């Protein structure tokens, strides 16, 4: 930690980063995390509420460079739960503008994750157990690339037709346009964690025999079509990310790290600006060797072998750990999830620990001065 009068240390974590026309003030980003707190019925279904405004507002005051708003459904049946956010209508757009305006005001780039839950849709809130819902309890029949349930006791999804798949692409395009209208400058397509786009990618969940199944090229077809369509639908300066699961943790039968590198190279050719690298989600009981930074090597490999920028995520909790990831060239940014739920001010505290300039807002200055008062040297 720097003392007063000492020169600040150089920090990779707190240097700006530009993608297309978006300059992010630092490399500490907030990962998307569902709040399950949107109205499930009525005219405001799927629209952000005061909960979302204060939740994202508090993290904005904490100082990340980018906030990626939680998985936001492109169609009603694409919600994980009836209580998820959506952006399939203009009422939702107006509510999202409250969030993007506040983030902009506090120097944070607003981003949104566009999602379709596929066969993992129509469940209860995570903190109520996440059990499947029926039509009598606000539920619906999920859809998927193949009529394969996620787990025992889960509903068998409807297998999408080719025409319905085209409708999914159209829904992502409409959602992307609404997101730009709502003030988001980064759009992230959710292609991870066993949700619809990931379901098409993984041979564990995709047993199709048409042009969307079988070979790697066919299984990647939906992801590429969404990338092309979203890129064409939004302004050139808008950054487009993909979030992927680097592995199903079921090699060699499932989606693998080699597949992810191959997909990354393909997405780069189709206008994607950054890969946000997570893992898992296709299997309900996969053995995942979770430990600090356990997903970072996947992000590092994609970056090294394809040149596509990456964001690393997963059990990144310490400032020195995050700084080492960036300084070592393993990723271009780090995304924090649970750590920012517990501590909204992690970015500013990390800057202090690393000797970087990132002071608290003046309204909180008296607390900062009291806690971090140091002697002159």
């Amino acid at each position: 930690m720097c003392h007063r009068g000492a020169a600040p240390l150089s920090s990779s974590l707190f240097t700006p980063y530009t993608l297309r026309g978006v300059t992010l003030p630092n490399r500490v980003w907030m990962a998307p995390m569902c709040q399950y707190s949107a109205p499930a019925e009525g005219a405001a279904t799927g629209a952000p509420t005061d909960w979302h405004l204060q939740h994202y507002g508090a993290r904005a005051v904490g100082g990340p460079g980018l906030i990626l708003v939680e998985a936001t459904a492109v169609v009603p049946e694409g919600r994980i739960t009836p209580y998820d956010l959506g952006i399939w209508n203009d009422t939702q757009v107006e509510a999202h503008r409250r969030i993007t305006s506040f983030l902009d005001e506090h120097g944070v780039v607003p981003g949104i994750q566009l999602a379709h839950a596929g066969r993992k849709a129509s469940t209860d809130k995570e903190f109520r157990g996440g059990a499947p819902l029926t039509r009598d309890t606000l539920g619906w029949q999920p859809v998927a690339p193949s009529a394969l349930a996620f787990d025992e006791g889960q509903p068998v999804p409807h297998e999408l037709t080719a025409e319905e798949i085209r409708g999914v692409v159209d829904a992502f395009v409409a959602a992307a346009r609404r997101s730009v209208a709502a003030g988001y400058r980064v759009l992230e397509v959710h292609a991870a964690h066993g949700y619809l786009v990931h379901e098409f990618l993984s041979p564990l969940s995709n047993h199709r025999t048409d042009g969307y199944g079988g070979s790697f090229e066919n299984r990647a077809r939906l992801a590429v079509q969404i990338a092309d369509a979203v890129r064409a639908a939004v302004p050139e300066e808008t950054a487009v990310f993909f979030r992927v699961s680097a592995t199903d943790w079921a090699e060699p039968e499932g989606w693998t790290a080699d597949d992810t590198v191959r997909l990354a190279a393909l997405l780069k050719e189709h206008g994607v600006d950054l890969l946000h690298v997570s893992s898992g989600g296709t299997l309900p009981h996969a053995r995942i060797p979770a430990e600090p930074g356990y997903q970072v090597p996947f992000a590092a490999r994609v970056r090294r072998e394809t040149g596509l920028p990456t964001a690393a995520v997963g059990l990144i909790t310490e400032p020195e750990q995050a700084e080492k990831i960036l300084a070592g060239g393993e990723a271009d940014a780090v995304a924090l999830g649970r750590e920012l739920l517990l501590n909204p001010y992690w970015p500013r505290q990390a800057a202090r620990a690393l000797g970087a300039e990132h002071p608290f807002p003046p309204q909180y200055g008296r607390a900062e001065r009291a806690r971090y008062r140091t002697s002159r040297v």
Side-chain angles (χ1 to χ4, degrees):
M1 184 178 296
C2 286
H3 296 289
R4 288 188 190 181
L9 300 174
S10 174
S11 168
S12 299
L13 205 57
F14 291 96
T15 56
Y17 185 55
T18 299
L19 287 165
R20 288 192 183 262
V22 181
T23 296
L24 302 121
N26 62 59
R27 318 291 185 100
V28 183
W29 300 348
M30 180 177 174
M33 290 170 288
C34 290
Q35 295 296 292
Y36 311 112
S37 297
E41 298 179 280
T45 297
T49 65
D50 287 347
W51 173 265
H52 299 93
L53 181 62
Q54 69 78 29
H55 170 66
Y56 291 111
R59 274 80 202 162
V61 171
L66 167 69
I67 287 179
L68 287 165
V69 167
E70 65 202 79
T72 302
V74 299
V75 288
E77 65 271 21
R79 293 170 292 171
I80 304 167
T81 82
Y83 310 96
D84 283 357
L85 291 184
I87 195 157
W88 64 79
N89 65 43
D90 293 339
T91 298
Q92 295 160 345
V93 169
E94 290 300 320
H96 277 279
R97 282 200 185 110
R98 298 173 69 208
I99 296 172
T100 60
S101 295
F102 191 89
L103 269 56
D104 276 329
E105 181 182 347
H106 290 273
V108 178
V109 173
I112 186 171
Q113 186 182 70
L114 302 179
H116 192 306
R119 68 180 184 176
K120 296 174 80 171
S122 187
T123 62
D124 203 351
K125 299 180 181 185
E126 178 267 339
F127 45 81
R128 292 202 304 220
L133 298 176
T134 67
R135 294 185 187 277
D136 295 332
T137 55
L138 297 176
W140 59 90
Q141 184 182 21
V143 301
S146 301
L148 301 168
F150 172 63
D151 196 8
E152 293 182 10
Q154 301 281 326
V156 175
H158 162 70
E159 182 174 309
L160 290 165
T161 66
E163 183 178 357
E164 288 168 336
I165 293 171
R166 288 191 291 272
V168 168
V169 176
D170 291 342
F172 271 93
V173 168
R177 288 174 174 153
R178 287 194 176 97
S179 297
V180 171
Y184 291 107
R185 289 185 279 145
V186 172
L187 311 183
E188 177 174 277
V189 174
H190 199 353
H193 301 161
Y195 298 121
L196 185 65
V197 181
H198 184 189
E199 289 165 19
F200 272 86
L201 292 171
S202 175
L204 299 177
S205 47
N206 183 348
H207 290 187
R208 299 178 73 95
T209 57
D210 63 1
Y212 289 94
S215 68
F216 170 89
E217 290 80 7
N218 285 356
R219 287 182 283 112
R221 191 178 306 278
L222 177 61
V224 171
Q225 288 178 339
I226 291 172
D228 281 341
V230 168
R231 181 71 270 164
V234 301
E236 176 62 27
E237 63 268 21
T238 301
V240 175
F241 295 3
F242 259 64
R243 194 178 205 193
V244 300
S245 285
T247 175
D248 287 335
W249 298 108
E251 298 192 17
E253 295 85 3
W255 182 258
T256 69
D258 289 344
D259 293 328
T260 295
V261 171
R262 191 174 176 187
L263 177 67
L266 193 58
L267 292 176
K268 182 182 178 183
E269 293 175 1
H270 288 265
V272 171
D273 300 299
L274 179 140
L275 206 69
H276 187 177
V277 186
S278 187
S279 70
T282 299
L283 297 176
H285 307 295
R287 293 187 177 183
I288 301 176
E291 60 183 13
Y294 70 105
Q295 294 173 157
V296 173
F298 298 124
R301 183 181 170 192
V302 167
R303 188 176 190 268
R304 181 176 65 251
E305 295 186 20
T306 71
L308 182 66
T310 62
V313 67
L315 291 181
I316 299 170
T317 60
E318 301 299 327
E320 295 78 10
Q321 175 196 16
E323 179 70 22
K324 184 178 178 182
I325 290 167
L326 296 190
E330 295 180 279
D332 298 277
V334 295
L336 275 63
R338 294 177 179 89
E339 197 66 21
L340 281 178
L341 290 184
L342 294 174
N343 181 6
Y345 307 109
W346 192 97
R348 297 193 192 276
Q349 292 168 350
R352 172 70 66 160
L354 295 170
E357 290 293 326
H358 199 22
F360 279 76
Q363 296 93 327
Y364 294 168
R366 67 176 77 93
E368 182 179 26
R369 289 190 296 273
R371 171 163 294 191
Y372 298 112
R373 186 177 292 117
T374 57
S375 61
R376 295 182 182 273
V377 295

